[in-house]
Amino acid sequence: MELAHRATILTPSLTLSIDSKAKAMKAEGIDVCSFGAGEPDHDTPDHIKAAAMASLDGGFTKYTPSSGIPELRQAIADKFKNDNGIDYKPSQIIVSNGAKHSCYNAILATCQADDEVIIPAPFWLSYPEMVRLAGAEPVIVHTKQENDWKMTPEEFESAMTPRTKMVILNTPGNPTGSVYTKEELEALVEIAATEDILILSDEIYEKLTYDGAKHVSIASLSKTAYDLTITVNGFSKAYAMTGWRLGYLGAPEAIAKAIDAIQSHSTSNPCSFAQQGGLAALRGDQSAVEEMRAEFDLRRQYIVQRLRDIPKVTVVEPKGAFYVLANISALGLTSSNFSERLLSKHHVAVVPGVAFGDDRTVRLSYATGLDTIKKGLDRIEEFCKSL
Ligand SMILES: *Cc1c(COP(=O)(O)O)cnc(C)c1O
């Protein structure tokens, strides 16, 4: 039996392998401090759960339109207008099984063999694999720490070729925590527009920004930006709904239509009662979002200070999401070596940056309680000083 080529080119997820090793150690009774989490440690707010349960009790258990129920698409259109300053009609919105699914749908609908897709590194590790699954080629741009891990217009331009079809931008970013300013995004759009390069804008962390950093949606910048951009968002991070599998995108009409066709023949509609939960999330009380953000912010400040106190470790203060990227290259280990030794000897799980395209760094998630963060940082400090 021969597997399809596309299945053989995928890299197994490194984040998942560290995570499973940490879980196995925990199961053996070892006290592991994990900074590996890629999801909020909070539970979904009660009013969202109640709406989904009520819809289940009411028999809302059948297929829905593949692109999502009309009420939810309208609520998302309203959200894009009010929160992001983007005018999408409900027909331009496709609800999916998560923001990850929306990214994949968007890439499948627009990219193919011979196309290149520019991805700034450190990147969210699924982007290059999705591009490969579509038969296209990821082109990695290595950003600089002194630029807060953000791609500059010059770096973007020099990665462009006549084959460039798309650029993927993720702000606030995972794993960097970087937030692009309006001016920085405008400069990138200006370059994309010279060759009609599509922009896949992953805005899943938009609600989690700190220190007055402001999230800016690329499609809101200008008519040119709007026409080139596919805006991806979802419920997982803002409303702690990772397990619900619910996300969405907004796009120019022709792209939305193509994505709907792909989705209708692959996954059909997103879960019916999860959509009712999503509707309650968007229409209901937003205070839980701010409570969660404020808690993340306290942890962020603590973790950054502690890491900065460790000799030879440097960090850019993250302005969004719930990750901090620590540059450990001055300690003389690769990111995998560092992470493996830290886990096996000191029982702390972090994610090696090599998974994100940057071997000088490790990612620490602060989507975990302050007690764990404190204990874990004591151990990290001890480990780094021993090197
Ligand atoms: C978590 C995450 C997503 C995935 O969100 P889902 O809606 O759960 O699929 C997308 N992009 C980035 C950068 C993420 O970190």
Side-chain angles (χ1 to χ4, degrees):
M1 197 276 310
E2 204 177 317
L3 290 171
H5 175 68
R6 77 176 70 84
T8 64
I9 56 176
L10 297 177
T11 320
S13 171
L14 254 174
T15 47
L16 291 181
S17 73
I18 290 269
D19 200 47
S20 56
K21 194 168 168 194
K23 280 189 180 131
M25 288 170 70
K26 274 185 194 167
E28 284 171 38
I30 299 171
D31 171 30
V32 176
C33 295
S34 182
F35 292 90
E39 59 186 345
D41 50 321
H42 305 74
D43 194 4
T44 305
D46 285 338
H47 69 281
I48 299 174
K49 291 189 200 173
M53 287 189 275
S55 79
L56 261 180
D57 286 339
F60 197 68
T61 55
K62 305 287 194 257
Y63 291 133
T64 75
S66 60
S67 51
I69 55 174
E71 308 89 288
L72 180 56
R73 291 170 90 194
Q74 182 63 57
I76 292 167
D78 294 346
K79 179 251 177 271
F80 271 132
K81 176 93 187 128
N82 299 331
D83 290 2
N84 309 96
I86 314 173
D87 266 307
Y88 287 128
K89 295 197 283 285
S91 59
Q92 292 175 268
I93 287 158
I94 310 294
V95 188
S96 71
N97 301 292
K100 180 181 271 188
H101 184 211
S102 287
C103 289
Y104 187 49
N105 279 339
I107 292 166
L108 274 188
T110 56
C111 301
Q112 59 193 349
D114 294 334
D115 288 338
E116 292 177 350
V117 176
I118 292 177
I119 303 172
F123 48 72
W124 186 47
L125 71 177
S126 292
Y127 299 139
E129 307 303 325
M130 290 174 175
V131 168
R132 288 193 187 100
L133 280 172
E137 218 175 292
V139 173
I140 307 302
V141 171
H142 294 278
T143 64
K144 295 196 176 74
Q145 183 170 359
E146 61 263 36
N147 296 330
D148 296 351
W149 307 113
K150 293 189 264 193
M151 182 170 68
T152 65
E154 296 73 30
E155 287 166 343
F156 179 26
E157 199 158 20
S158 57
M160 272 166 57
T161 76
R163 290 165 57 198
T164 307
K165 182 66 186 267
M166 174 184 270
V167 57
I168 303 181
L169 296 175
N170 172 214
T171 178
N174 172 7
T176 60
S178 300
V179 179
Y180 283 75
T181 65
K182 183 163 180 272
E183 292 69 29
E184 287 165 344
L185 292 173
E186 280 169 343
L188 295 174
V189 167
E190 196 176 311
I191 290 163
T194 60
E195 300 292 340
D196 281 339
I197 293 168
L198 294 173
I199 302 167
L200 180 60
S201 180
D202 181 347
E203 306 184 6
I204 189 86
Y205 293 102
E206 68 162 341
K207 300 287 183 193
L208 300 175
T209 59
Y210 315 105
D211 278 351
K214 204 176 157 314
H215 170 72
V216 176
S217 286
I218 298 170
S220 74
L221 292 173
S222 63
K223 171 83 169 71
T224 306
Y226 178 90
D227 288 339
L228 292 173
T229 302
I230 303 169
T231 309
V232 169
N233 210 322
F235 299 87
S236 286
K237 308 294 159 62
Y239 302 101
M241 289 172 68
T242 47
W244 293 61
R245 307 315 303 130
L246 195 66
Y248 55 88
L249 59 75
E253 201 85 52
I255 296 178
K257 241 179 138 171
I259 289 169
D260 187 21
I262 289 173
Q263 186 161 293
S264 72
H265 288 298
S266 50
T267 56
S268 298
N269 61 277
C271 170
S272 59
F273 45 92
Q275 291 186 67
Q276 295 291 355
L279 185 59
L282 291 179
R283 294 283 194 221
D285 180 17
Q286 302 295 308
S287 58
V289 183
E290 172 53 24
E291 279 165 32
M292 192 166 71
R293 192 206 65 81
E295 196 179 334
F296 281 139
D297 193 14
L298 290 177
R299 299 171 183 176
R300 177 187 70 100
Q301 293 175 39
Y302 176 81
I303 200 168
V304 167
Q305 194 48 56
R306 287 292 309 267
L307 286 169
R308 286 195 167 153
D309 287 345
I310 302 174
K312 296 191 188 167
V313 172
T314 58
V315 295
V316 174
E317 183 165 49
K319 300 290 183 194
F322 42 66
Y323 310 101
V324 51
L325 203 60
N327 187 331
I328 49 95
S329 59
L331 295 167
L333 294 178
T334 65
S335 66
S336 304
N337 271 338
F338 181 93
S339 305
E340 273 158 26
R341 283 175 60 176
L342 182 61
L343 182 58
S344 57
K345 297 225 178 74
H346 297 262
H347 306 157
V348 176
V350 300
V351 182
V354 66
F356 309 112
D358 190 305
D359 205 21
R360 297 166 297 173
T361 59
V362 295
R363 187 191 78 178
L364 288 80
S365 160
Y366 46 91
T368 187
L370 209 47
D371 288 351
T372 303
I373 293 177
K374 284 183 175 158
K375 189 160 61 174
L377 276 154
D378 289 344
R379 296 179 187 178
I380 292 172
E381 185 169 9
E382 189 185 303
F383 173 56
C384 293
K385 285 181 172 165
S386 76
L387 291 171

